[in-house]
Amino acid sequence: MTPRGQVLLWVAQRGSAAVLGLCVIVHLATIIVAVQGGLTGAEILARVRGSGAWLAFYSLFVAAVAVHGPIGIRTILHEMTALRRGVVDGLAVATAGLILALGFRAAWGLYGAA
Amino acid sequence: MKTAGVAARRSTAYDPDMTETLSVQVWRGSERGAFVAYSVPRRASQTVLDVVTHIQRRIDASLSYRFACRVGMCGSCAMTVNGRPRWTCRTHVDRVAKNGDLTIAPLRNLPVIKDLAVDMREFFDKWARAKGQFQPTASRRDGFAVVRPDSAARKQADAGIECIGCGVCHAACDVVAWNRDYLGPAALNRAWTLFSDTRDGGQATRLAAVAGDAGCHACHSHQSCQEHCPKHLNPTASIAGLKRAAAWAALKGQI
């Protein structure tokens, strides 16, 4: 990867961290408000099923995690293991793909179209 | 009266709690070696470099170490003292060995040549890789450059300019230990002072040289460099400046 590519990964990780900061605040606030009347699966589904707004929110959340986490994993693997650069980059991309697949599957499932 | 006068003078020169001798463990060997114990007389205002010098001149002449100015200017005498990288010529024994025990080892993150002397080539090669050389934009036929001391750029450069190249920050940096390609705090601090020098013409190539996984963007901002710098510089702040500048340059397609 070129130095420019490496710098852009750094920018992407900082940018996704900013998005995650907002998403986590909304997520935690929702949890705190939602559990006031007890926590049931039915209540959660009543809130998010068919809601385009919640689907958009959690899609953004998943996308930000899929960008942020694997870039950090790439750094950790590079610093803590003897794996070659190409292998480390491949594992980071695979992690991003896994997070995207599982995350969107969960968000789409709650939306009710699964 | 004469006896009292001597006692008074001694009380200012010697701490009554001070032990008579220091128990000193010194690394002997190269990458492979062992600590060897020495007993060194304790003296008032004694520095760690004084201790090492005593061992080399009075006990074992085969001990290798490096020093030059002895006044905190040249950056030659840095060693690991009781687990922390320090400049030994300005480190008083009183501050670091209150119980009389000293462990002196070579600097971390650099190959050991022998005993307390490390190979600094890797350290200074990284300064060269970071384009740490001034790139002039004027010739000897031009007039003196006028740089206002209170300008933002000059203040920025001044904040990091007093580096003596001792290698303490390099030894203190965990990222250097984890990623041997990482340029390290001293080289990046040097690049930042030049980046902030309005007379310098090598900014684009310098930013490209210090950007990315082996450069400023590898820094985790642990701030060990700032914590240990004997000159109280803040290389982490310099590296943060480089990160911002290189990020903007990358976004604009300039690197």
Side-chain angles (χ1 to χ4, degrees):
Chain A
M1 186 181 293
T2 63
R4 180 166 186 263
Q6 294 165 5
V7 177
L8 292 178
L9 278 184
W10 182 87
V11 172
Q13 197 183 31
R14 268 61 189 174
S16 58
V19 173
L20 280 174
L22 293 172
C23 289
V24 167
I25 289 170
V26 172
H27 185 63
L28 291 177
T30 305
I31 290 171
I32 291 167
V33 171
V35 298
Q36 299 301 314
L39 184 63
T40 65
E43 189 217 7
I44 294 171
L45 287 176
R47 183 171 62 252
V48 298
R49 189 180 291 273
S51 168
W54 280 114
L55 176 65
F57 171 74
Y58 280 110
S59 295
L60 177 67
F61 203 151
V62 167
V65 173
V67 170
H68 188 81
I71 297 172
I73 286 172
R74 175 178 176 273
T75 302
I76 292 168
L77 288 176
H78 175 54
E79 291 179 349
M80 297 295 161
T81 72
L83 293 173
R84 285 185 294 111
R85 276 288 189 191
V87 175
V88 167
D89 288 346
L91 286 171
V93 170
T95 307
L98 188 67
I99 292 170
L100 281 175
L102 294 177
F104 279 129
R105 181 170 171 269
W108 191 244
L110 286 171
Y111 181 69
Chain B
M1 288 296 288
K2 190 176 178 184
T3 307
V6 171
R9 279 201 299 278
R10 278 190 178 164
S11 70
T12 57
Y14 293 100
D15 181 342
D17 296 330
M18 201 164 73
T19 54
E20 292 297 316
T21 57
L22 293 163
S23 174
V24 188
Q25 302 277 331
V26 178
W27 181 259
R28 300 304 307 269
S30 54
E31 292 294 340
R32 300 183 67 175
F35 285 98
V36 174
Y38 299 94
S39 185
V40 176
R42 195 159 188 179
R43 311 216 183 274
S45 302
Q46 190 176 24
T47 67
V48 175
L49 184 61
D50 292 336
V51 171
V52 176
T53 300
H54 177 91
I55 294 170
Q56 202 264 348
R57 294 192 181 171
R58 304 287 179 86
I59 302 174
D60 186 348
S62 69
L63 175 66
S64 298
Y65 66 110
R66 189 183 285 127
F67 76 97
C69 73
R70 298 182 295 178
V71 291
M73 289 174 65
C74 72
S76 302
C77 68
M79 301 171 199
T80 306
V81 181
N82 285 357
R84 289 174 66 102
R86 294 181 181 277
W87 54 355
T88 57
C89 69
R90 300 289 298 272
T91 300
H92 280 244
V93 170
D94 290 353
R95 277 204 300 129
V96 294
K98 292 205 181 296
N99 59 1
D101 294 330
L102 268 180
T103 300
I104 306 173
L107 282 181
R108 192 174 73 130
N109 294 339
L110 290 166
V112 181
I113 299 171
K114 180 175 174 288
D115 301 337
L116 301 172
V118 293
D119 187 342
M120 299 289 283
R121 278 181 296 186
E122 180 183 316
F123 177 71
F124 287 112
D125 284 349
K126 287 180 175 180
W127 287 49
R129 267 177 50 205
K131 305 293 179 194
Q133 309 91 341
F134 177 67
Q135 300 293 325
T137 50
S139 73
R140 68 184 66 182
R141 284 173 289 279
D142 295 305
F144 283 107
V146 178
V147 181
R148 288 183 58 86
D150 58 350
S151 64
R154 188 61 231 177
K155 285 180 179 174
Q156 214 163 255
D158 281 346
I161 204 73
E162 295 291 343
C163 175
I164 56 173
C166 62
V168 163
C169 59
H170 197 79
C173 179
D174 284 334
V175 182
V176 173
W178 298 332
N179 177 1
R180 295 312 287 253
D181 292 334
Y182 176 50
L183 291 169
L188 291 170
N189 181 72
R190 170 64 180 164
W192 177 245
T193 59
L194 287 172
F195 181 81
S196 308
D197 191 330
T198 52
R199 302 166 304 160
D200 188 278
Q203 309 303 1
T205 51
R206 185 171 298 112
L207 269 188
V210 302
D213 291 344
C216 57
H217 296 95
C219 170
H220 290 302
S221 304
H222 290 161
Q223 298 195 290
S224 291
C225 50
Q226 180 194 11
E227 171 69 20
H228 292 85
C229 176
K231 299 291 288 184
H232 305 296
L233 305 182
N234 186 357
T236 309
S238 302
I239 294 168
L242 287 175
K243 284 177 180 173
R244 286 192 297 273
W248 283 117
L251 289 169
K252 292 175 184 171
Q254 295 168 342
I255 61 172

